[in-house]
């Protein structure tokens, strides 16, 4: 059952702080139009506008609402809204992502670089844009237990991180089993790069988002993408157009213009085709050099997921039956090579699945 928060709670939460999502309603926010009843032992988070602690969890709660706060459909428009009384710190970079494992792995479905909450460059604390509407990618899988994640890196002020996580359902009649997109990243948090104040350069930090690895998210399990996707992700990037000279911005202007962006893969693992059985008419006079190194059987067993490692490293495991990749300092789950192929280590940071 959804119900409205008592007016006294609204008064307590009306003190201006930072930006906070209120649609879909993040976990235990007192500032949404409606919310589910609190789970047993939980209380409303009146500090939901605070930045995330540098060395703490990246979300203020890992306990979900007892029921979803929104029902979305893949391939259809969705809207994300924010409170009107927060300090917008000159804008910055916003990521919007989907997760199926309580935020451990999240893939970007939309992003607003440079001027989030504004229509262009600004040093203001008063947000101009409080709602973003975008199309949820058509290949986002259906789930009754998905999470929508908002992440904001501010342009002006202390180097901080702001996030929100909301429990949602997703419908998809197309039968998609997984979605591949850029990994959500958490700048200005322990283990991630710090993005300095923009000081008028709104491209500051953009390369970190562009170079994030691909991830595959799925209700059946999520991990770093082991191969190049055969499609261009339908996640788009929003950019804001500066208002004309003399324009007085409305308190809640319409959503931003949208420019399509392409997801670039960062890890390529290919399975080569088996050679055709054709007899050569003239035998070669010199031995040919194999295209890939001959694999060995000394591959280690899989390292437990989450074990420490150097970001970007890849290794063949389980007798070359598959491989693992190091993502942000921890080993991923094992990816199996296709039937009939084996993992071959071509360098400390590269593997292929090929025919033996």
């Amino acid at each position: 059952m959804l119900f409205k928060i008592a007016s006294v709670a609204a008064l307590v939460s009306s003190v201006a702080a930072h930006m906070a999502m209120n649609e879909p309603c993040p976990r235990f926010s007192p500032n949404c139009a409606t919310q589910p009843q609190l789970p047993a032992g939980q209380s409303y988070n009146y500090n939901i506008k605070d930045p995330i602690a540098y060395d703490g969890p990246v979300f203020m709660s890992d306990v979900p609402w007892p029921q979803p706060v929104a029902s979305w459909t893949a391939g259809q428009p969705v809207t994300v809204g924010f409170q009107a009384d927060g300090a917008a710190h000159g804008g910055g970079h916003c990521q919007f992502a989907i997760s199926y494992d309580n935020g451990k792995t999240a893939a970007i479905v939309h992003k607003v670089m440079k001027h989030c909450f504004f229509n262009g460059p600004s040093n203001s604390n008063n947000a101009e844009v409080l709602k973003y509407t975008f199309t949820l990618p058509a290949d986002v899988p259906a789930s009754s237990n998905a999470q929508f994640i908002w992440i904001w890196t501010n342009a002006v002020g202390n180097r901080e991180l702001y996030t929100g996580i909301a429990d949602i359902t997703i419908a998809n009649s197309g039968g998609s089993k997984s979605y591949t997109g850029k990994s959500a990243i958490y700048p200005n948090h322990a283990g991630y790069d710090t993005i300095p104040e923009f000081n008028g350069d709104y491209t500051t930090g953009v390369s970190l988002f562009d170079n994030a690895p691909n991830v595959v998210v799925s209700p059946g399990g999520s991990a770093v993408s082991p191969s190049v996707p055969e499609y261009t992700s339908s996640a788009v990037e929003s950019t804001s157009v500066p208002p004309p000279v003399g324009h007085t911005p409305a308190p809640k202007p319409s959503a931003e213009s949208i420019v399509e962006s392409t997801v670039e893969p960062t890890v390529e693992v290919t399975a080569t085709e088996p050679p055709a059985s054709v007899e050569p008419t003239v035998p070669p006079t010199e031995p040919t050099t194999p295209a890939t190194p001959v694999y060995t059987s000394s591959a280690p067993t899989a390292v437990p997921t989450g074990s420490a490692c150097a970001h970007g490293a890849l290794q063949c495991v389980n007798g070359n039956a598959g491989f693992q990749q190091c993502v942000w300092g921890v080993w991923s789950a094992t990816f199996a090579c296709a039937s009939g192929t084996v993992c071959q280590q071509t360098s400390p940071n590269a593997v292929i699945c090929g025919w033996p």
Side-chain angles (χ1 to χ4, degrees), residues 1 48 50 121 128 134-135 169 194 220 226 273 283 287 301 309:
M1 177 182 69
I48 200 162
D50 288 356
E128 298 172 338
F134 56 91
T135 299
T169 65
T194 296
E273 294 295 328
T301 57
C309 54

Side-chain angles (χ1 to χ4, degrees), residues 74-75 135-141 172 176 234:
T135 299
L136 192 65
D139 47 346
V140 170
N172 188 329
S176 175
S234 50

Side-chain angles (χ1 to χ4, degrees), residues 135-229:
T135 299
L136 192 65
D139 47 346
V140 170
S143 175
S144 60
N145 184 27
Q147 297 83 44
F148 173 74
I149 293 167
W150 160 70
I151 307 164
W152 173 39
T153 306
N154 55 309
V156 177
N158 294 335
R159 309 322 301 144
E160 295 169 334
L161 173 71
Y162 302 86
T163 68
I165 182 169
D167 301 288
I168 65 171
T169 65
I170 299 174
N172 188 329
S173 59
S176 175
K177 301 299 183 185
S178 66
Y179 170 74
T180 301
K182 289 288 188 183
S183 175
I185 61 173
Y186 303 88
N188 305 339
H189 191 266
Y192 292 86
D193 290 304
T194 296
I195 295 179
E197 267 195 293
F198 291 10
N199 292 321
D201 180 4
Y202 287 87
T203 64
T204 302
V206 169
S207 61
L208 292 179
F209 303 92
D210 293 340
N211 295 328
N214 282 349
V215 291
V216 179
V217 292
S218 167
S222 303
V224 173
S225 174
S227 60
V228 179

Side-chain angles (χ1 to χ4, degrees), residues 257-271:
S257 59
I258 296 178
V259 180
E260 182 174 353
S261 64
T262 302
V263 170
E264 293 294 336
T266 58
V267 181
E268 179 175 341
V269 182
T270 57

Side-chain angles (χ1 to χ4, degrees), residues 226-292:
S227 60
V228 179
E230 297 180 354
Y231 61 91
T232 298
S233 170
S234 50
V236 296
E237 175 182 342
S238 298
T239 57
S240 300
V241 179
V245 176
H247 171 68
T248 300
K252 294 185 181 180
S254 59
E256 75 294 354
S257 59
I258 296 178
V259 180
E260 182 174 353
S261 64
T262 302
V263 170
E264 293 294 336
T266 58
V267 181
E268 179 175 341
V269 182
T270 57
T272 55
E273 294 295 328
S277 56
V278 178
E279 293 294 331
T281 55
V282 179
T285 57
E286 295 183 3
T288 58
T289 301
T292 55

Side-chain angles (χ1 to χ4, degrees), residues 5-22 28-33 35 44-50 83-87:
I5 293 297
S7 59
V8 63
L11 290 173
V12 172
S13 63
S14 65
V15 178
H18 306 284
M19 299 301 294
M21 182 171 69
N22 64 2
F28 313 150
S29 170
N31 305 319
C32 306
Q35 301 93 336
Y44 287 113
N45 180 7
Y46 294 103
N47 298 316
I48 200 162
K49 292 184 174 183
D50 288 356
Q83 292 178 236
D85 56 355

